[in-house]
Amino acid sequence: MPQPPAAALALPSLLLLLLVRTPPPTGARPSPGPDYLRRGWLRLLAEGEGCPPCRPEECAEPRGCLAGRVRDACGCCWECANLEGQLCDLDPSAHFYGRCGEQLECRLDAGGDLSRGEVPEPLCACRSQRPLCGSDGRTYAQICRLQEAARARPDANLTAAHPGPCESEPQIVLHPYDIWNVTGQDVIFGCEVFAYPMASIEWRKDGLDIQLPGDDPHISVQFRGGPQRFEVTGWLQIQAVRPSDEGVYRCLARNALGQVEAPASLTVLTPGKGEPWALGTRRGERGTGGGLRPLNVCPCTYVHVEA
């Protein structure tokens, strides 16, 4: 009996494979994904189909809205507005990122590097950048910061006292730190001060009224404004420290309303004198006799731990 050709035997298998791989009709919906994706698509479909009847009694009450409240996409329920620096919708009719809060507007952020292909993002920005004084005596960079603080502490009844910063005596924001080092090394003390009117910074040593650097060539001071508004930062640098430099140094800040100071000590070590210090050690690691265990690492520093 003659056998059917091989092509005839392969035809049913080919038809079955085509039936299995045939794509679904164009109007068919894709199979639902994970639950969180399905909820997201349902929300988008509901928004695209229009808003349901407004029932304010069914709306959830938003809490902790530091930028205030705005109406939702349907204009029915209240929701928290976006804070300064958050993404927003440039098109007022859109409702994807959300709307900015009171005293805020949506702007394109041009702070990115456009030459590298970075796309400007729409961000909420405060309409005013003028500082103002709060009723709590603190200076706020702009009205949006004051409103955020007022909503975060509703019991404080915080309001704007007057435009411009609050006049205050100096406040040392960043104190100088105690320093340990060996002879021949350089050390730097830093001091950051906030005040309005702006403060001046002076450096003194060991309770003396002599303002540094004096006529000592290996001591120098530097100042600059910032890093924040109405702040000034000062540095005292001592090059190639020697035992006579050891002592307590004071950062003294003053303006027309008062003055404040912060001390920091410098301990100068001389290698080979038998002190309980170890070369190349880390703070907090104890050795024998109340000293520190050497780690044989460089660059070398000296720190002290009491026994």
Side-chain angles (χ1 to χ4, degrees), residues 100-181:
C100 301
E102 186 180 356
Q103 299 291 341
L104 294 163
E105 62 183 2
C106 193
R107 304 176 189 167
L108 280 178
D109 179 28
D113 191 350
L114 301 181
S115 63
R116 296 186 177 182
E118 296 184 12
V119 179
E121 294 181 318
L123 301 176
C124 294
C126 195
R127 291 191 176 96
S128 172
Q129 295 299 322
R130 296 180 179 178
L132 67 163
C133 179
S135 57
D136 58 353
R138 295 182 55 189
T139 298
Y140 293 86
Q142 21 94 334
I143 183 63
C144 301
R145 298 299 184 189
L146 175 67
Q147 291 180 338
E148 288 180 22
R151 295 187 178 104
R153 298 180 285 127
D155 297 337
N157 297 320
L158 179 61
T159 58
H162 59 78
C166 305
E167 291 191 354
S168 65
E169 63 183 20
Q171 305 169 27
I172 296 183
V173 180
L174 184 62
H175 291 241
Y177 294 101
D178 295 341
I179 297 178
W180 298 267
N181 215 323

Side-chain angles (χ1 to χ4, degrees), residues 16 64 75 83 101 106 136 145 154 156 160 176 186 196 250 260 273-274 281:
L16 180 61
L83 289 164
C106 193
D136 58 353
R145 298 299 184 189
D186 297 345
Y196 186 81
R250 293 177 296 137
V260 65
K273 288 297 183 79
T281 57

Side-chain angles (χ1 to χ4, degrees), residues 207-230:
L208 302 177
D209 289 333
I210 302 176
Q211 182 176 344
L212 298 175
D215 57 356
D216 197 329
H218 83 301
I219 297 179
S220 60
V221 295
Q222 295 181 2
F223 307 95
R224 72 168 178 85
Q228 304 297 328
R229 297 182 70 180
F230 312 113

